[in-house]
Amino acid sequence: MKLKHLMSGLLALSLLAGCTGGIAPSPTPSVSQEMEAHNKDTFAMDTLMSFTAYGPQGQAAVETAAKEVVKLDQLLSVTGEDSEVWALNHAQGQPTVMGEDALALLTAAQALGRATDGALDVTLYPLVKAWGFTTGSYQIPGKDTIAALLENTGYDEIAIDGDTVTLPQGMEVDFGALAKGYAGEKCVKLLREQGVTSAILRLSGNIQTIGAKPDGSPWRIAIRDPESINNSDYLGVLELVDQAAVTSGNYERYFEYDGVRYCHIMDPSTGAPTQNPLTSVTIVGPSGTACDGLSTALFVMGRDRALEYWRSAGGFEVILVEQDKNVWITPGLADQFSLKDGLGYTLNILEE
Ligand code: ADP
Ligand code: MG
């Protein structure tokens, strides 16, 4: 099964050359021997990840990063029966000792849950399952089922005491909205510790960069066009230096019924897939974990609430894409983002 995932991942990657996760076409810089590129691809967290680091420490560093994401996947997987998350979800209300990474994620998840007024809620797993997003056997649960399942959610009910975590019986935690961002951020730390000063890590729609390219120019990544039929086209190019960029979109995993699209980002206030005119949200900032959590949360919020949140919280930049082909970017990205011509999108730069 893993192999099948890997193959479809590889196929998707080749189709998507140049899309989110890919580097947009740009002249190849001439690099000196010391700044040679070192690559490592790995399959973890249900996705193909691709790491590139420059310089003499590069190869060892990307190998370390690849091992780290596999380790994190084993610890944090909601379906792996020997993961810490599995242990927590099956503890029947009993206290569970958790490791450093799971604790860091639980703490970040609660903080982001509070900050976003619950738009990010890592306890929605029973609903994610009920709608069929874990198996692909999609269905629309009845109102009563949804109401009953919502009773068993609420990120604030996760009790953390030192290294011990207690989850009320019936509740389940799922780090799907945060784990890749956390993994990317952790890998950046590992790479820096090994002396890497120039790197790009692609974990599906999550990008983490260290420094600039070896020639000093910014990394150029492509943001996917949410409307592109086979996801092969890109919306525009985003330049990054020392930043993470994470995209959540309604095209990642979804089903359609009676002309309505149901995507894998759930609205905690309804217990149903988020319905609003947004088609994708990209967050740019220093922390991969925060960018990942916020890309999911701001998608749930919809444009107006998302922008209100950006204005009050700050510390990150946003690209919002809407069904009517309007693209909204925060002013900090005005010099970093350029829209691709000919796709019919309109770029709107927001005011401070
Ligand atoms: P992707 O997995 O495509 O990177 P996201 O980061 O947006 O996308 O995370 C979506 C995943 O997070 C879902 O598959 C589900 O497991 C979980 N999830 C869905 N809705 C929410 C939510 N409102 N808060 C927290 N986790 C969510
Ligand atoms: Mg996310």
Side-chain angles (χ1 to χ4, degrees):
M1 203 174 80
K2 285 264 164 187
L3 184 65
K4 202 175 124 212
H5 275 300
L6 178 62
M7 293 316 287
S8 55
L10 288 170
L11 178 67
L13 195 81
S14 59
L15 290 172
L16 286 172
C19 285
T20 311
I23 301 176
S26 71
T28 313
S30 62
V31 289
S32 67
Q33 198 62 21
E34 301 84 69
M35 288 308 265
E36 214 179 313
H38 300 278
N39 301 300
K40 176 76 184 174
D41 289 352
T42 192
F43 187 81
M45 301 182 173
D46 263 337
T47 196
L48 189 69
M49 302 187 176
S50 177
F51 302 156
T52 303
Y54 289 81
Q57 312 86 339
Q59 194 59 44
V62 290
E63 303 279 347
T64 310
K67 283 202 191 103
E68 183 66 23
V69 291
V70 170
K71 189 196 93 181
L72 288 173
D73 192 6
Q74 283 162 358
L75 286 174
L76 305 172
S77 164
V78 69
T79 51
E81 297 191 11
D82 43 13
S83 80
E84 291 186 1
V85 169
W86 179 280
L88 179 66
N89 288 348
H90 293 83
Q92 318 253 359
Q94 293 304 308
T96 308
V97 175
M98 310 285 285
E100 203 184 323
D101 294 300
L103 286 168
L105 264 165
L106 284 168
T107 308
Q110 272 193 330
L112 284 165
R114 287 178 192 133
T116 62
D117 205 12
L120 186 84
D121 187 340
V122 290
T123 64
L124 295 177
Y125 196 57
L127 287 145
V128 174
K129 279 196 291 193
W131 284 84
F133 289 105
T134 50
T135 56
S137 301
Y138 298 117
Q139 54 177 335
I140 301 179
K143 280 198 174 71
D144 293 348
T145 306
I146 293 177
L149 292 172
L150 275 174
E151 291 288 313
N152 273 337
T153 65
Y155 62 94
D156 248 343
E157 298 199 33
I158 308 168
I160 309 173
D161 180 11
D163 63 357
T164 304
V165 181
T166 312
L167 201 59
Q169 185 144 17
M171 272 179 66
E172 288 177 280
V173 159
D174 146 43
F175 290 131
L178 286 165
K180 289 197 290 278
Y182 178 80
E185 186 170 344
K186 191 157 187 211
C187 287
V188 158
K189 273 191 208 126
L190 290 175
L191 263 61
R192 284 190 203 281
E193 277 164 22
Q194 296 187 48
V196 171
T197 55
S198 174
I200 182 160
L201 308 180
R202 280 170 268 157
L203 306 85
S204 186
N206 291 39
I207 312 291
Q208 283 267 176
T209 61
I210 295 182
K213 288 200 224 171
D215 68 358
S217 65
W219 300 102
R220 290 162 55 78
I221 67 156
I223 302 299
R224 193 183 275 189
D225 174 8
E227 303 292 336
S228 167
I229 304 289
N230 58 5
N231 286 337
S232 61
D233 222 336
Y234 68 94
L235 174 82
V237 174
L238 178 64
E239 297 190 336
L240 298 175
V241 175
D242 255 334
Q243 280 168 313
V246 178
T247 302
S248 283
N250 69 355
Y251 50 80
E252 273 301 337
R253 213 174 324 140
Y254 66 89
F255 68 99
E256 273 165 359
Y257 184 77
D258 261 355
V260 179
R261 179 178 290 206
Y262 298 92
C263 74
H264 72 140
I265 302 173
M266 310 295 291
D267 183 339
S269 68
T270 62
T274 300
Q275 300 289 350
N276 68 44
L278 287 175
T279 51
S280 88
V281 173
T282 299
I283 308 287
V284 181
S287 156
T289 314
C291 287
D292 202 354
L294 291 178
S295 73
T296 307
L298 269 63
F299 190 94
V300 171
M301 289 179 189
R303 188 189 75 192
D304 293 344
R305 260 182 78 201
L307 293 177
E308 221 174 275
Y309 180 79
W310 166 75
R311 285 207 168 84
S312 62
F316 62 94
E317 303 293 336
V318 189
I319 303 172
L320 300 178
V321 187
E322 288 196 302
Q323 245 158 28
D324 67 0
K325 295 211 151 193
N326 272 300
V327 179
W328 304 84
I329 66 169
T330 49
L333 292 181
D335 297 330
Q336 266 176 275
F337 180 75
S338 52
L339 201 59
K340 187 180 171 191
D341 289 336
L343 292 175
Y345 282 94
T346 306
L347 184 64
N348 306 275
I349 303 175
L350 293 153
E351 286 176 13
E352 284 292 351

